Amino acid sequence: MRQVVILGATGSIGCSTLSVLAMHPEKFKVLALTAATQTCKLLAQCLEFQPRYAAMLCPRAAAELKTALQSQGSATQVLAGPVALSELASHPDADIVMAAIVGAAGLLPTLAAVEQGKTVLLANKEALVMSGELFMNKVQRHGATLLPIDSEHNAIFQCLPVAFQQAKQRPALAEMGIAKLLLTGSGGPFLTRDISSLHAVTVAEAVAHPNWSMGQKISVDSATMMNKGLEFIEARWLFNCAPADIEVLIHPQSIIHSMVQYTDGSVLAQLGQPDMRTPIAHALAFPQRIASPVPPLNFSQLADFSFSQPEPARYPNLYLAIAACAAGQGATTALNAANEVAVAAFISKQIRFTDIARLNEKCLEHFVNYAACSLDDIVALDLEARAFAQQLVRTLN
């Protein structure tokens, strides 16, 4: 019986994780669930899964949760604040930590799990975008097991040789006979929309992803393809490769989740429904396999697969992220911070859809040469970039 902590239990990844866990009560026990402010949702999850602990980032929400659980006779212990999240992520009884907090807020609790040598299921791509080399060095130093949850990275991981998957120190791709990683993306809801009309995109249009069911922030990132840019940076660190080793392809059907091209001409691809419960099930059971609630593909009903190169004019955020990846850690940390501010400003209707890329570009230009060698450097740069981006939001109004 492996005990699981879910950081970000009320988000889409957290809910999908619980869906898989519910199928295997003989294999997994929920040790702790965490959330930011969604008291009612976390209450329902606690009553169903009876974790030993629950934590909420907001102290007021935690107090409400505690009262509600006590009224239901629940023995779940409620904690509050960011320190509580890190304490649960590093709890001695935790075997698996699902890192599913969206954005920079997930960095510290995810690192806390890594530093205790946990099996970390990484759905928080920002952790590697913000602190790639530092993060991976800690994984190696503390003997943690890092398994990717993003469908693209999980697909690549499944297509890599077993020797690479099980290596404590990730070898260079060339040593494994690998020529290139092929990172696929759907292109989002605006793949064929007239580029000249993108300035008029509404929040409702941006979050209406054609294939995936995701939260607002990730859906907007998918629409701008910043999500793929962040995944590009994440892949660079997860798989110990250079930016030149990664190619991004538009694949609107979202059935091939990514591919690995080998030096002998072979290409291995991982296929599946566009449902996050598949990579979650894979990582929870790795190196074994368990059932998930996802229906199998029916190949006789699949449409033709198509691929294309992403247009820079349509997806400037993708190319900003690729440039930041080549520039270094300071650039990726600042770009991630700027993008979180820009997307929040768009969702709150302070800026236009196309202003997201404008703001990100200005922020990247300002911070491109900043160094970020330690965790303190990274946290400080993240805060400084957010403040700079907030100023830009006011100028774009």
Side-chain angles (χ1 to χ4, degrees):
M1 182 73 71
R2 306 189 74 191
Q3 299 204 63
V4 182
V5 174
I6 303 179
L7 303 173
T10 57
S12 61
I13 296 294
C15 293
S16 293
T17 302
L18 289 170
S19 174
V20 177
L21 294 178
M23 293 185 66
H24 302 281
E26 77 291 352
K27 295 181 181 294
F28 304 102
K29 167 68 177 171
V30 177
L31 174 66
L33 300 174
T34 83
T37 59
Q38 295 193 60
T39 307
C40 291
K41 200 167 185 179
L42 191 60
L43 172 63
Q45 292 175 338
C46 287
L47 292 175
E48 179 178 357
F49 290 92
Q50 295 295 314
R52 196 189 314 173
Y53 303 100
M56 302 206 73
L57 196 58
C58 172
R60 181 179 297 179
E64 293 175 359
L65 178 67
K66 182 177 181 179
T67 299
L69 284 170
Q70 288 176 342
S71 71
Q72 296 284 337
S74 171
T76 297
Q77 182 180 343
V78 179
L79 308 175
V83 173
L85 272 58
S86 293
E87 289 175 347
L88 293 177
S90 58
H91 194 283
D93 293 340
D95 300 302
I96 298 171
V97 177
M98 169 59 79
I101 297 174
V102 175
L107 174 60
L108 294 182
T110 304
L111 280 174
V114 166
E115 289 169 351
Q116 292 302 312
K118 306 298 184 185
T119 294
V120 177
L121 278 52
L122 188 66
N124 172 269
K125 61 177 65 65
E126 290 85 357
L128 278 177
V129 171
M130 291 178 65
S131 64
E133 185 173 11
L134 180 148
F135 189 100
M136 295 306 295
N137 286 343
K138 284 183 178 289
V139 169
Q140 183 181 345
R141 186 181 314 128
H142 296 285
T145 298
L146 187 65
L147 299 172
I149 295 299
D150 272 349
S151 61
E152 296 81 2
H153 302 103
N154 183 267
I156 289 170
F157 184 82
Q158 292 195 52
C159 294
L160 290 169
V162 172
F164 188 100
Q165 294 175 353
Q166 297 180 346
K168 290 298 181 183
Q169 184 173 2
R170 297 278 163 85
L173 295 184
E175 295 176 15
M176 298 281 103
I178 297 164
K180 188 170 288 189
L181 306 181
L182 301 171
L183 197 63
T184 63
S186 69
F190 309 128
L191 177 61
T192 59
R193 179 163 170 158
D194 185 349
I195 293 176
S196 65
S197 73
L198 290 178
H199 69 280
V201 164
T202 66
V203 174
E205 289 172 328
V207 302
H209 195 282
N211 301 329
W212 295 92
S213 175
M214 305 177 291
Q216 278 194 318
K217 196 271 181 180
I218 298 176
S219 295
V220 174
D221 280 348
S222 181
T224 67
M225 280 200 80
M226 176 57 87
N227 203 41
K228 203 57 50 183
L230 299 179
E231 289 170 7
F232 185 102
I233 299 166
E234 185 182 4
R236 178 259 181 275
W237 294 112
L238 274 174
F239 304 117
N240 188 31
C241 61
D245 297 326
I246 310 168
E247 181 180 351
V248 176
L249 292 171
I250 300 290
H251 171 54
Q253 295 82 17
S254 294
I255 297 297
I256 295 178
H257 297 300
S258 276
M259 299 173 279
V260 175
Q261 182 175 322
Y262 285 83
T263 52
D264 63 4
S266 301
V267 178
L268 300 187
Q270 188 268 339
L271 287 72
Q273 301 282 5
D275 190 316
M276 290 304 299
R277 293 175 296 180
T278 294
I280 289 168
H282 169 264
L284 280 170
F286 182 81
Q288 307 302 320
R289 298 275 180 170
I290 57 174
S292 81
V294 182
L297 288 175
N298 184 335
F299 283 89
S300 65
Q301 295 181 0
L302 290 181
D304 293 337
F305 293 158
S306 60
F307 301 92
S308 62
Q309 295 288 336
E311 303 171 73
R314 185 178 300 278
Y315 303 114
N317 276 295
L318 169 63
Y319 291 93
L320 287 173
I322 293 173
C325 185
Q329 187 62 75
T332 60
T333 299
L335 181 63
N336 178 72
N339 185 65
E340 288 192 20
V341 171
V343 171
F346 168 68
I347 290 172
S348 62
K349 301 180 181 179
Q350 294 175 268
I351 63 174
R352 296 179 300 178
F353 181 76
T354 48
D355 288 334
I356 298 173
R358 290 176 58 207
L359 188 152
N360 287 340
E361 183 176 17
K362 289 179 182 293
C363 201
L364 181 59
E365 288 174 353
H366 184 80
F367 291 101
V368 67
N369 294 319
Y370 274 52
C373 302
S374 69
L375 184 58
D376 287 343
D377 290 343
I378 289 165
V379 172
L381 177 55
D382 176 74
L383 291 173
E384 187 176 350
R386 287 173 191 275
F388 184 81
Q390 291 285 7
Q391 292 179 342
L392 290 175
V393 168
R394 290 189 283 272
T395 66
L396 292 174
N397 282 341

